[in-house]
Amino acid sequence: MRASFLLITLTSILGIQPAIADVILPDINAKYVTIIEENPTRDAGFVVGDVLDRTITLTVKKPYELVKESLPIEGYEHRYKGQISGIELVKISTEETKHSDSVTHVLHLRYQIFTTGKLAKPAALRAEIVKMRNTTNKDVRQYRIPSYSFRISPLSVFGSVKLKEEMSPFIAPLLLDSSREKLTIKVLIGVLAASLLGLLYMLGMHAWLPRMGAPFAKAYRDIRKMPDTAEGLQQAVARLHESLNKTAGNSVFSSNLADFLQKKPAFSPVKQEIEQFFGLSRQVFFEPNAVTNVSASPKTWLQKFCRHLRDCERGLLPELKSTTNTKAS
Amino acid sequence: MSDTQLADWRNHALTLESEVNKVVVGQESPVRLITTSIFARGHVLLEGDVGVGKTTLLRAFTRGIGGGYQRIEGTIDLMPNDLVYHTYLGEDGKPHVSAGPLLQSGENLSIFFFNEINRARPQVHSLLLRVMAERTLTAFNKEHHFPHMLVFADRNQVEKEETFDIPSAARDRFMMEIPIVVPSDAAIMESLVFDTRFHDVDALVANVPESILQFDQLNGFAAKLQNSITASPTLRSYVLNLWRATKTPMDFGVKVSGVDMNRLVLSGASPRGMGMVLRAARVNAWLNERTAVLPEDIHAVLHSTVAHRLVFSPVYEMRRTEIARDMLSGIINAIATP
């Protein structure tokens, strides 16, 4: 600051012509410049420390061009009637697009507020003066980017205030800190969702999908886990008997199979397989010498058979081709 | 016993069944049960109305089995000695004693038919039940043996006047109680009425070939048959559960409509009764060409071997046939195997 003051004093003493920036130039004809402003979305409620972004798009037609040295400088302390306004340009960036008869300059201006007060007070993003030079005759003109008015609010309210008079549609409502409550709600919603899922699981007979908990669907899952041993075979046959009985609502034997099929006609397509199953059960539990017409691997056959029963249980028509590999054992 | 012997006897048994079914039409189930009881060496109580063919059925079986057939009618004035002897004045004017129905055929007595057993006095029941249990009788200072004898008795459940209820201990001696009902098939009913061959019972029974079975070999074969047919651990467990269920049906969730199950059963099946169930089931398995008893064999004979052994509260006795049938069906439905 001191260096610049000395420089100005020295030039005036020496009678040196003042620099372009310090003289008031005539305005450029409006037909050569078009402007598009993008100002902050609200004009009130700003407090100390807030940042305001403003984008100015200038299109300068030939023969004029923008004097880039005339663009505002970062950190320059703006004064109004000798007083520091407290609003400072903290960042500027430009983009330039050349056209055949014009050049478009996009100026991104970022201001920060360094002032406050006890009451809301008017303020403005200053009107920036930029210079335009005629490339043919070197004539220099100025262009005034309009200012933008807004209000700076105090950080806290002092004394009694008539809110009705102070209200503005752009002032955001004062918000309480609700992050804790939001977290609680989120946790509760999670618990509720888990409870609902649990309820669904229970209502679905301990299954996530409809009919997933039905007797043969459960049996199919159990049988797949059983070992392929004599003991595992016994368990698998017993498990299927259990499911048959549960489905029928009573004990099913080969002697009352017809009654079962009459009561549950969905299982009619696997009648032959059920008869084979009773033959296998007879061999496994009652008469080891009995002949069955189940394939060489009873465990595999039982799995397929159980899957077919599960299909019937779900109202589907099982694919029976895969189980026609019956063979006398 | 060799498989061939078992198969030969089975063929004979099925031939007997077939021949009897030609004579007594529409009674396939009772015929199968009687065949079963013959090979299980168990006495049979027939239950049915008058004129449904009980006597014809037994005569047909007797002809097929061979051996002696004796019959006595149960009356209120029948005394135990009437079964053993009767006295009469001979042509010489002197009193004579001749053998009664029990002694008449001697050791060859094959079937003894007691018609309307519930009309006889308890004293008569007592004698008969001893003969049934021990197959011996002491008379004229001598012990008489009836090793091949099977008793077939019948009772009419409709008429109650001048009858004596057979006590549960007596009922328990019978292996089976078999209901004989009129066939419901219209063609059979028509045939029974209009077909003249059914009008002459003697001629009808004569159609059954004589001695299809050898009555004096049945005991020996029956014992070997029982040893030939096995019962797996799973089946044993199943039968024990059935037995328990006859005692405490509520424990197995068995219910009968309109009956207080807590008060219904005073006594379930006896050990002798369950033993008879297994004997009959083994025969049924053999008749069906099996070497082991299946649950289906038990079911085939359960009603006829257990129902008459159950002792119900007196309030339910009048409906015992219906209640016993429903309860046993409920037990079969409730108990699973394996």
Side-chain angles (χ1 to χ4, degrees):
Chain A
M1 283 291 290
R2 185 171 290 174
S4 60
F5 176 75
L6 288 173
L7 183 64
I8 292 168
T9 311
L10 186 63
T11 51
S12 58
I13 292 169
L14 297 176
I16 300 170
Q17 188 73 19
I20 288 176
D22 299 326
V23 294
I24 298 173
L25 299 171
D27 289 336
I28 190 172
N29 191 331
K31 70 178 183 180
Y32 292 107
V33 181
T34 55
I35 184 169
I36 300 171
E37 293 176 61
E38 281 181 47
N39 294 314
T41 52
R42 59 188 168 94
D43 65 353
F46 294 100
V47 295
V48 61
D50 282 355
V51 170
L52 292 85
D53 286 311
R54 193 179 190 204
T55 302
I56 304 295
T57 305
L58 293 174
T59 303
V60 184
K61 289 183 182 172
K62 289 179 179 176
Y64 284 95
E65 64 176 8
L66 177 69
V67 179
K68 288 178 183 161
E69 289 75 12
S70 68
L71 288 173
I73 302 166
E74 287 175 15
Y76 177 75
E77 285 182 340
H78 174 64
R79 288 172 182 270
Y80 180 73
K81 294 182 180 174
Q83 295 291 318
I84 295 173
S85 69
I87 297 168
E88 188 176 316
L89 180 68
V90 292
K91 189 177 179 185
I92 178 170
S93 61
T94 59
E95 295 166 27
E96 185 180 302
T97 309
K98 290 182 178 171
H99 308 287
S100 57
D101 61 339
S102 63
V103 178
T104 301
H105 302 271
V106 180
L107 312 179
H108 299 284
L109 305 167
R110 171 165 291 178
Y111 299 90
Q112 191 166 18
I113 300 168
F114 292 104
T115 182
T116 185
K118 290 182 180 180
L119 295 171
K121 63 177 182 182
L125 300 182
R126 67 173 181 267
E128 303 289 359
I129 309 291
V130 291
K131 308 285 190 290
M132 304 288 174
R133 181 189 294 125
N134 190 325
T135 53
T136 53
N137 58 11
K138 303 298 177 187
D139 177 34
V140 177
R141 304 261 170 165
Q142 70 173 24
Y143 181 80
R144 186 174 183 276
I145 297 171
S147 63
Y148 172 74
S149 299
F150 63 100
R151 278 164 286 173
I152 297 172
S153 300
L155 283 173
S156 57
V157 177
F158 293 89
S160 57
V161 174
K162 288 186 178 176
L163 283 175
K164 213 177 208 179
E165 294 171 3
E166 290 297 316
M167 283 177 74
S168 163
F170 297 107
I171 297 176
L174 293 171
L175 298 176
L176 297 173
D177 181 14
S178 60
S179 57
R180 194 169 175 182
E181 283 74 16
K182 281 179 182 170
L183 180 67
T184 308
I185 287 173
K186 283 176 186 170
V187 170
L188 289 176
I189 287 173
V191 171
L192 180 66
S195 306
L196 287 173
L197 283 172
L199 186 64
L200 184 69
Y201 180 68
M202 282 188 275
L203 292 177
M205 296 171 71
H206 303 291
W208 293 113
L209 296 172
R211 290 184 185 273
M212 197 175 166
F216 290 115
K218 278 184 174 176
Y220 182 63
R221 294 197 295 273
D222 291 347
I223 287 173
R224 280 194 307 176
K225 295 173 196 164
M226 289 174 185
D228 194 3
T229 58
E231 196 182 339
L233 182 64
Q234 278 199 346
Q235 289 174 357
V237 174
R239 187 70 185 79
L240 269 174
H241 271 300
E242 186 188 330
S243 299
L244 262 176
N245 295 345
K246 202 170 179 182
T247 304
N250 57 268
S251 297
V252 181
F253 301 93
S254 58
S255 54
N256 62 359
L257 178 59
D259 296 338
F260 170 70
L261 294 176
Q262 194 177 6
K263 201 158 74 172
K264 304 276 181 183
F267 293 89
S268 297
V270 290
K271 182 187 175 199
Q272 194 187 344
E273 279 189 295
I274 298 176
E275 287 168 347
Q276 284 177 268
F277 167 71
F278 277 111
L280 177 65
S281 172
R282 174 183 164 187
Q283 187 193 53
V284 169
F285 286 110
F286 303 107
E287 196 175 2
N289 299 328
V291 174
T292 73
N293 55 354
V294 168
S295 63
S297 171
K299 175 80 192 312
T300 312
W301 183 87
L302 275 176
Q303 277 188 23
K304 281 183 188 170
F305 171 56
C306 191
R307 199 173 65 232
H308 293 164
L309 288 171
R310 188 195 62 182
D311 290 346
C312 293
E313 183 176 67
R314 292 177 175 176
L316 305 171
L317 201 60
E319 281 185 36
L320 296 174
K321 284 179 184 174
S322 56
T323 57
T324 52
N325 57 339
T326 55
K327 175 179 128 182
S329 60
Chain B
M1 179 174 280
S2 71
D3 291 347
T4 317
Q5 273 182 300
L6 286 171
D8 286 346
W9 274 93
R10 186 186 304 113
N11 288 336
H12 291 318
L14 296 178
T15 305
L16 174 66
E17 257 192 8
S18 165
E19 293 299 332
V20 173
N21 276 326
K22 287 177 193 168
V23 170
V24 186
V25 293
Q27 299 290 356
E28 287 78 9
S29 178
V31 167
R32 169 49 64 98
L33 289 170
I34 292 174
T35 308
T36 303
S37 69
I38 288 169
F39 281 93
R41 310 309 292 152
H43 309 293
V44 173
L45 183 60
L46 297 180
E47 185 202 330
D49 293 341
V50 179
V52 293
K54 297 188 292 288
T55 311
T56 309
L57 182 62
L58 293 180
R59 285 181 62 188
F61 266 109
T62 307
R63 192 174 165 82
I65 294 171
Y69 166 75
Q70 294 297 329
R71 168 180 174 164
I72 193 164
E73 302 298 324
T75 58
I76 194 166
D77 57 352
L78 185 74
M79 296 304 289
N81 57 342
D82 293 330
L83 272 67
V84 183
Y85 65 91
H86 70 270
T87 57
Y88 62 97
L89 282 174
E91 290 177 353
D92 55 1
K94 294 179 181 175
H96 289 268
V97 177
S98 66
L102 270 177
L103 298 181
Q104 218 162 38
S105 299
E107 288 195 356
N108 288 337
L109 180 60
S110 175
I111 288 184
F112 185 80
F113 181 35
F114 202 129
N115 200 18
E116 297 212 63
I117 189 173
N118 55 340
R119 289 195 183 279
R121 291 168 176 273
Q123 297 96 315
V124 179
H125 293 163
S126 180
L127 173 72
L128 185 72
L129 296 175
R130 185 205 148 172
V131 175
M132 287 166 66
E134 301 176 9
R135 288 193 166 92
T136 61
L137 173 68
T138 304
F140 307 115
N141 299 321
K142 186 184 168 189
E143 193 166 70
H144 301 267
H145 294 269
F146 315 106
H148 312 297
M149 181 195 72
L150 287 182
V151 173
F152 288 78
D154 87 334
R155 60 173 171 172
N156 181 345
Q157 287 279 52
V158 179
E159 290 181 337
K160 295 289 178 188
E161 288 180 8
E162 294 188 344
T163 62
F164 297 90
D165 198 16
I166 305 171
S168 60
R171 289 200 304 265
D172 201 59
R173 302 283 170 87
F174 288 98
M175 171 177 268
M176 292 187 185
E177 182 179 49
I178 303 172
I180 308 289
V181 293
V182 180
S184 56
D185 186 275
I188 293 175
M189 291 172 75
E190 185 185 330
S191 175
L192 286 172
V193 175
F194 293 98
D195 193 337
T196 53
R197 78 187 180 99
F198 293 115
H199 296 174
D200 184 349
V201 174
D202 291 334
L204 186 66
V205 171
N207 289 328
V208 177
E210 280 188 293
S211 303
I212 299 171
L213 303 178
Q214 298 300 314
F215 76 96
D216 52 351
Q217 293 177 15
L218 280 172
N219 282 343
F221 172 72
K224 290 173 183 170
L225 185 155
Q226 292 293 322
N227 290 329
S228 301
I229 308 297
T230 59
S232 69
T234 308
L235 185 106
R236 287 166 196 238
S237 165
Y238 178 61
V239 171
L240 289 180
N241 279 335
L242 288 177
W243 188 12
R244 290 188 193 102
T246 65
K247 295 170 184 290
T248 53
M250 281 291 281
D251 291 353
F252 294 83
V254 177
K255 290 179 183 169
V256 177
S257 175
V259 173
D260 179 359
M261 296 303 288
N262 289 317
R263 295 175 55 203
L264 175 64
V265 179
L266 295 181
S267 173
S270 62
R272 174 169 53 199
M274 291 311 291
M276 286 183 177
V277 170
L278 255 294
R279 276 166 58 186
R282 283 191 163 99
V283 175
N284 194 70
W286 166 70
L287 286 172
N288 286 288
E289 300 184 40
R290 290 193 281 266
T291 59
V293 183
L294 300 187
E296 284 80 358
D297 295 317
I298 304 288
H299 302 161
V301 298
L302 189 70
H303 282 85
S304 53
T305 49
V306 172
H308 63 287
R309 297 173 203 279
L310 302 173
V311 183
F312 293 150
S313 296
V315 68
Y316 295 117
E317 269 300 325
M318 290 295 286
R319 293 169 55 204
R320 67 166 296 116
T321 305
E322 168 203 345
I323 291 175
R325 186 188 60 230
D326 290 350
M327 183 180 132
L328 289 174
S329 296
I331 287 173
I332 290 173
N333 283 335
I335 296 176
T337 173

